[in-house]
Amino acid sequence: MKMSDRLQKAPLSGIRKMFDLAGSGSINLSLGEPDVSPPDEAVRGMSEAAAKGLNRYGPTPGIMPLREAVAYRYKRHGIESGNVMITPSGTTALLMIAQSLIDPGDEALVPSPGFVVYGPHTALSSGRPIDYKLTDDGFQPDIDDIQRKITKRTKVVFLNYPSNPTGGILSEESFKAIRDISADKNIIIVSDEVYEPFVYEGEHISFMGELDNAIVVNGFSKMMAITGWRMGFVTAGKDVITDLTKMAYHVCASPNMPAQYGILSAMPAIDTYLDGVRRTYKRRRDLITSRISNIDGMDMDAPKGAFYAFPKFGYDMTSEELAMRLVKNGLICVPGSAFGQYGEGHLRFSYAADEDKISRGMDILEKVANGIKG
Ligand SMILES: Cc1ncc(COP(=O)(O)O)c(C=O)c1O
């Protein structure tokens, strides 16, 4: 059966590739998912909803009490329930947005290194992804590079802060520059903020308040450690939410009902839960940063957000070769090249793993790195 050219050209994520090559007993620092437990209220709330019979289709943009709870959490940005749509995952939200905004031949500016779906989602929507660079200093969007790459067909700029894979957070200066470009050139900002709860220094700057020119994707996967539930949300202007709801109807009719009730039960105490999770991740971040910074030929600053370390290395090999060498020695990570052309020369380690695992992983990294030098 011949699939569309669009689908045939779409790459599979390179993130799982190393995982598939690893031996059993390897230390896995490749996966971007929380290893902590979800809030008890969420699990209980979902089971109770299913047991009570809340198992049917629901409203396409999500149940109103959950839209209201999300709006309440972000009310400082001027968000109301009509600005919120609940989605079956952040990934689905991103694809629905690409499908809704992009016409054939439209261009979307995509961060590189960056999360792996923005380019393929653009191409699957018959658009052209154009990579833009991040700066060496703090992984900010390189505004000159973006300006150079804007054409009459540029429709969208994707941003992702706190960032996967770099761990960078958005500076006030970058925020303003992107906002100005969007207003001047009529380019829609699609801001993926799924790591918003995980900032260890400074503050997360959100595009949520920019209702006229930004669509924000966020989600419950990372926030509540429920990656398998597949639940996310979008905030945007009310007209945009109405349009996206039309797309959502054709994609899924409605998001998972019991999961929405579970998430709703966990919303009132979510900040207390997240305070604990952030403390845990911060300890692990400090550990991995100090271990990597002490390795000759590896260089990184402490990541300010998300749960990834993205060191640069100075060895004469590609990131894939280095990652392969680590896999053979029992440590799984992701080569920077899996995150786009400008990710080469880096490795990505997830520190959503316990401290013992991180320490043993770093022992392997140190041994392999010392072997290369010598
Ligand atoms: C930057 C970023 N955006 C979006 C997602 C998708 O999250 P989900 O589909 O689980 O909501 C991920 C998952 O790893 C991510 O790293």
Side-chain angles (χ1 to χ4, degrees), residues 290-306:
S290 87
R291 290 293 308 263
I292 292 177
S293 306
N294 279 318
I295 297 175
D296 258 1
M298 290 247 154
D299 184 28
M300 68 177 276
D301 294 327
K304 293 189 171 137

Side-chain angles (χ1 to χ4, degrees), residues 15 31-33 87-94 114-118 159-165 192-195 217-222 226-233 306-308 339 348:
I15 297 183
L31 292 181
E33 64 179 345
T87 60
S89 81
T91 306
T92 312
L94 286 161
F115 181 51
V116 292
V117 304
Y118 315 123
L159 286 132
N160 167 225
Y161 291 97
S163 153
N164 174 12
D192 175 349
E193 303 184 9
V194 302
Y195 294 99
V217 174
N218 201 324
F220 303 104
S221 279
K222 322 278 172 177
I226 48 170
T227 45
W229 291 20
R230 314 308 301 124
M231 293 297 295
F233 63 93
F307 37 67
Y308 304 104
F339 301 100
R348 188 196 79 172

